[in-house]
Amino acid sequence: MKMPLIRSASLLVLAATIGSTPALAADEPADQTVVVTAQSTTPFDEAAALGKTGTALFDLPRSTQIVPRELIDEQGGTQLKDTLRNVSGLVQGGQYSFGFYDRFVSRGLNVTFLNDGLPDTTSDLGGYVHSLTGVERVEVLKGPGSALFGTSAPGGTINLVHYRPTDRAAASASLQYGSFDTVTANGSLDGAIGGGINARIDGQFQRSDGYRGTRNRSGEVSGALAFHPADHDILARFEYRRIEMRPDAIGIPFALPAAGSTRVDPIKVDLDSRYYTPFAFADQSIKRAFLSDAWTVSDSLVVNLRAAYTDRNIGLARNAGGRIAGIALTGRQLRQQQDNIHDFVVQAEPTWKFTAGAMPVTLLTGFEYRNVSATTRRSTADLPNIPDIYHPVTPETNLAALNFQCDRAHSCNDAKVDGRFYGLYATAQIDITPRLKLRLAGREDWFGTAAEGRSVIPANPGSEHPCNPPQPTTTCAFIPGQPVVRNDERFEWDVGAVYQIADSFALFSGYASNSYPIFNTEEPQSIGQVPETGTQVEAGLRFRQGNWLSLSSSLFRTTRKNVYVIVLNESEVYSYRVKGWETDLSLRPVPAWNINANFTLQDAVLTDYPQNPTQIGKRVPSVPKRIGNVWTSYDIALPEKIGTLQLAAGLRYRSDYFGDTAQTRLLPGATMVDVTAALLNGPWTIRGGVRNIGDARNYDYAAGVGSGAIPGPGRTFFVSLGVKTL
């Protein structure tokens, strides 16, 4: 589907929604004023779907947060990355960040994404930028989640929970404009369509010239049907999204070290300087079908059945390589890649509620099967040097004139990869006493992963594996008819307890383990590697007082082992641990005033690095020691016909951190202040804001494996107009 068609479809959804709104809202008094105050980010009385057993957050022995849609809208968020400030310890980054997909770390470790509880993308490496279209809330589970979700990254799990169709006729629409000529249009329709079926449709179109020219275009449509026959709650959702981006995988190169020094900052140039090729692109088409049924067998037994199928087609050309030589940027390359991915997952989860003696018990059991099959093809072209990094001009002028190659010096592959994952699991939530809650979870997983060449290519860093049987060359390329297969069996477990000293005060602690098979199209040669593993030990406290105060604070220690990376075209494996403290506060001193704040202090160090043993004990890349955020809003009641004025402001802080394990490339920290104001009048909302009002120089993350630093925008603005039925 071409982009104009997507844009037209999305705008049609928006126009239809706006056109329907007056009729749907006709019964509302013309002068009605509604005060909308953002919810707490730690609503302890709510149950996150991530917990699976319906247990309220106050009774979960794990740090888990919910970011509600009201707070996201208040901050002007349109993409998942815009919600990070509301969750302690969560930042952009990771050892591979190429600029065209979401890459986050929590407590210093990579995270996994879920879409309504089912896996979203094949790995944390090579996904896509998540929008917030139709998203009701964002849930974040801190630390390993394999006992609940199987093959997941050890840092945590982010679940995007979408609105369900209802029988109440409703509509909403919004239009937002901001810096870099960014336009975001959203629309939704909701209501009964007859025969006991409720329907909802959400659409979004976004276009932006992008900071530093990283333009993007995206369009998506999601349609859902809900049906409630006797003892069943059936939901079907169909999603289509098209994303077109110009990625920056280089950023601002780091300077050469001065005499007697090993640490360097990004070179001091105008942040609008560009070192990536103008021909870079990353285009994706994603189609997804989701089906679930909550079958109430009896008062004590509910069986949840879920299935999803995702088809992704990805075409991209991104920069790779690059090093400073004098004032020139040399060794530049462009990698061209085409991936086709098919992802099917099904779950069956019977959940019993019963009493063991005098103890209420919720027991969830489950079976999951997932099959991921994909093909990937890559080749690499050399790019001319940029002669002057202080006055950069990219010399390449024609993509067709580039010579894409496949050899030891030019990463390439042509392979098919296949992964089959089976899991049997159980989770028990037990109320030992009204104040002591115990949680036990265990899961047995079987992984089978394979990679096989589709054509004969030379052995090279993008398609090689240890030869079997061993040969003098030590590594071989993938060959048709000779798949490289790895099978693993892992047991993961999770145990924790919560003790309520009083109704308002609780202590919690827990342990969790994790396994994560290395399986993606970015590194098909990694499929034969030992899976990553991770652990977390956590202890903390929670305090709540009515609906005006909630506080969560915890100490944690996490580990991550068998981290597979490629440095200078050579594969390396290292391990590390993170010790830290996190605190999240939600405070409402008076009904009109809301404060959300969080702070993270963490120490991440390398614990094992066979290829570079001298680096053991050094700080882990992309993990800042300190992260802090504050967001506060105040509602001022104006004359009834005018509505409510909402004023808000926030602060974002992140300390410096390194972009490489050798601790040579330092990304400076930054403190940024944001302000917004909104007028709320019945179904209408007018909002505007300025981000980074002080125009502080900042960097989002280190690119690739520390090759450069991706600058964050300076001072930006947005204005929006929204309408929805009440």
Side-chain angles (χ1 to χ4, degrees):
M1 182 180 291
K2 299 297 184 182
M3 200 61 207
L5 294 178
I6 299 171
R7 179 174 182 174
S8 300
S10 301
L11 293 177
L12 282 173
V13 171
L14 180 65
T17 303
I18 295 175
S20 303
T21 299
L24 293 170
D27 295 335
E28 298 290 346
D31 59 352
Q32 181 179 6
T33 299
V34 175
V35 177
V36 179
T37 303
Q39 299 178 14
S40 162
T41 58
T42 50
F44 288 147
D45 58 337
E46 291 190 25
L50 281 169
K52 290 201 172 187
T53 56
T55 305
L57 295 186
F58 199 72
D59 294 332
L60 278 179
R62 294 285 301 271
S63 288
T64 306
Q65 287 183 249
I66 298 175
V67 183
R69 185 64 193 228
E70 292 87 347
L71 181 58
I72 296 170
D73 289 341
E74 184 179 294
Q75 297 168 345
T78 61
Q79 296 179 338
L80 178 60
K81 65 182 180 181
D82 299 327
T83 71
L84 300 185
R85 67 186 306 157
N86 302 303
V87 181
S88 58
L90 190 60
V91 294
Q92 284 185 274
Q95 72 266 25
Y96 288 108
S97 298
F98 300 128
F100 64 91
Y101 56 86
D102 285 336
R103 183 74 160 159
F104 307 146
V105 294
S106 172
R107 297 184 169 179
L109 291 78
N110 293 352
V111 304
T112 294
F113 301 99
L114 302 180
N115 187 338
D116 288 321
L118 290 182
D120 190 23
T121 72
T122 53
S123 75
D124 64 328
L125 180 59
Y128 62 94
V129 174
H130 295 79
S131 78
L132 297 171
T133 304
V135 172
E136 179 183 9
R137 65 185 185 275
V138 176
E139 302 177 342
V140 182
L141 174 75
K142 307 287 189 66
S146 282
L148 287 171
F149 308 111
T151 57
S152 58
T157 307
I158 298 178
N159 185 29
L160 278 70
V161 180
H162 292 81
Y163 288 103
R164 293 176 61 91
T166 67
D167 59 2
R168 179 180 178 273
S172 69
S174 68
L175 184 65
Q176 181 166 305
Y177 179 80
S179 298
F180 317 118
D181 200 21
T182 301
V183 178
T184 306
N186 279 285
S188 70
L189 291 170
D190 196 6
I193 60 175
I197 300 176
N198 303 325
R200 181 181 176 94
I201 184 170
D202 292 276
Q204 173 175 290
F205 168 76
Q206 185 175 79
R207 65 152 320 273
S208 177
D209 291 341
Y211 178 49
R212 302 175 65 245
T214 53
R215 62 109 179 105
N216 66 80
R217 307 285 188 274
S218 65
E220 58 185 295
V221 176
S222 172
L225 299 173
F227 183 47
H228 302 275
D231 302 324
H232 291 268
D233 182 2
I234 300 173
L235 175 68
R237 178 177 289 111
F238 306 91
E239 304 170 7
Y240 175 81
R241 57 176 56 89
R242 173 70 179 176
I243 305 171
E244 298 178 355
M245 303 184 66
R246 177 181 292 149
D248 177 9
I250 295 296
I252 302 294
F254 286 91
L256 292 173
S261 174
T262 59
R263 296 183 181 180
V264 296
D265 293 332
I267 58 174
K268 302 300 183 183
V269 295
D270 188 311
L271 290 184
D272 193 52
S273 300
R274 306 175 192 180
Y275 301 86
Y276 63 87
T277 180
F279 307 113
F281 70 92
D283 300 341
Q284 300 194 47
S285 295
I286 304 171
K287 298 176 281 292
R288 184 175 188 266
F290 172 89
L291 180 64
S292 69
D293 178 22
W295 173 25
T296 303
V297 180
S298 67
D299 292 340
S300 60
L301 174 61
V302 175
V303 179
N304 284 292
L305 304 171
R306 306 181 191 92
Y309 173 76
T310 304
D311 177 87
R312 294 177 63 209
N313 294 302
I314 309 164
L316 64 93
R318 65 165 178 84
N319 285 86
R323 56 187 176 273
I324 300 296
I327 64 169
L329 181 63
T330 65
R332 301 171 65 237
Q333 292 186 325
L334 183 68
R335 292 182 180 174
Q336 186 172 265
Q337 188 166 328
Q338 180 70 46
D339 292 350
N340 301 102
I341 304 171
H342 308 279
D343 188 353
F344 174 73
V345 59
V346 60
Q347 290 179 347
E349 294 182 345
T351 303
W352 287 269
K353 291 183 179 293
F354 57 91
T355 301
M359 299 184 299
V361 178
T362 299
L363 176 63
L364 176 143
T365 59
F367 166 77
E368 178 179 291
Y369 168 73
R370 187 180 184 194
N371 176 233
V372 181
S373 60
T375 59
T376 179
R377 185 180 181 90
R378 176 197 294 167
S379 56
T380 300
D382 294 322
L383 298 176
N385 298 337
I386 294 179
D388 186 350
I389 57 176
Y390 296 98
H391 304 90
V393 176
T394 50
E396 60 270 18
T397 59
N398 188 343
L399 182 64
L402 297 177
N403 179 25
F404 286 91
Q405 303 176 62
C406 179
D407 55 39
R408 172 57 67 177
H410 298 84
S411 176
C412 61
N413 60 49
D414 185 11
K416 56 182 178 180
V417 298
D418 184 79
R420 297 178 186 271
F421 312 94
Y422 305 84
L424 289 173
Y425 49 97
T427 298
Q429 181 76 27
I430 308 168
D431 294 355
I432 305 293
T433 71
R435 294 198 179 279
L436 178 60
K437 315 296 174 69
L438 178 66
R439 188 174 179 88
L440 302 169
R443 177 166 177 142
E444 185 77 13
D445 277 301
W446 296 266
F447 315 141
T449 56
E452 180 182 345
R454 297 192 299 168
S455 63
V456 177
I457 61 174
N460 73 91
S463 178
E464 64 181 357
H465 60 89
C467 299
N468 188 13
Q471 298 180 16
T473 55
T474 69
T475 59
C476 296
F478 292 114
I479 298 174
Q482 297 183 22
V484 175
V485 179
R486 182 179 181 91
N487 293 295
D488 289 279
E489 179 180 346
R490 299 296 176 106
F491 179 78
E492 308 303 336
W493 56 289
D494 191 333
V495 59
V498 176
Y499 182 68
Q500 295 185 20
I501 297 176
D503 291 341
S504 59
F505 184 67
L507 302 176
F508 69 93
S509 63
Y511 170 86
S513 61
N514 197 90
S515 280
Y516 186 48
I518 305 174
F519 178 81
N520 57 72
T521 56
E522 176 61 31
E523 304 166 322
Q525 72 274 29
S526 67
I527 287 176
Q529 304 298 315
V530 176
E532 279 191 19
T533 59
T535 63
Q536 175 176 271
V537 178
E538 181 181 22
L541 60 85
R542 296 189 179 106
F543 181 75
R544 62 184 176 187
Q545 194 66 40
N547 63 356
W548 65 272
L549 172 64
S550 62
L551 172 71
S552 178
S553 185
S554 65
L555 298 171
F556 63 87
R557 184 185 188 277
T558 60
T559 65
R560 186 182 178 202
K561 298 181 179 180
N562 301 324
V563 182
Y564 181 89
V565 296
I566 297 177
V567 180
L568 300 177
N569 287 334
E570 297 295 334
S571 60
E572 298 183 356
V573 177
Y574 61 83
S575 302
Y576 61 93
R577 67 104 181 113
V578 186
K579 293 180 180 179
W581 167 57
E582 288 180 351
T583 294
D584 292 270
L585 170 70
S586 291
L587 175 65
R588 197 186 304 272
V590 297
W593 185 15
N594 193 64
I595 301 171
N596 291 300
N598 62 70
F599 180 75
T600 302
L601 180 65
Q602 55 191 3
D603 178 46
V605 299
L606 295 165
T607 56
D608 185 47
Y609 203 160
Q611 295 84 5
N612 293 285
T614 59
Q615 295 183 16
I616 294 175
K618 292 186 175 181
R619 288 168 58 182
V620 177
S622 302
V623 183
K625 283 191 172 183
R626 296 174 298 277
I627 307 166
N629 297 280
V630 179
W631 181 264
T632 181
S633 63
Y634 192 86
D635 296 338
I636 303 172
L638 301 177
E640 190 173 20
K641 290 187 178 180
I642 299 178
T644 300
L645 176 64
Q646 185 180 78
L647 302 177
L651 179 146
R652 293 173 284 153
Y653 165 74
R654 182 166 62 181
S655 66
D656 59 18
Y657 60 96
F658 290 101
D660 63 334
T661 58
Q663 293 190 180
T664 60
R665 297 169 176 174
L666 186 69
L667 280 80
T671 300
M672 293 173 283
V673 176
D674 311 317
V675 296
T676 69
L679 182 64
L680 315 173
N681 190 328
W684 296 93
T685 300
I686 302 173
R687 178 173 279 114
V690 180
R691 299 187 178 103
N692 192 8
I693 195 169
D695 201 26
R697 189 183 185 104
N698 66 98
Y699 295 89
D700 285 339
Y701 54 86
V705 194
S707 59
I710 302 296
R715 184 187 301 111
T716 61
F717 79 94
F718 74 91
V719 292
S720 67
L721 173 65
V723 59
K724 61 182 177 181
T725 59
L726 303 174

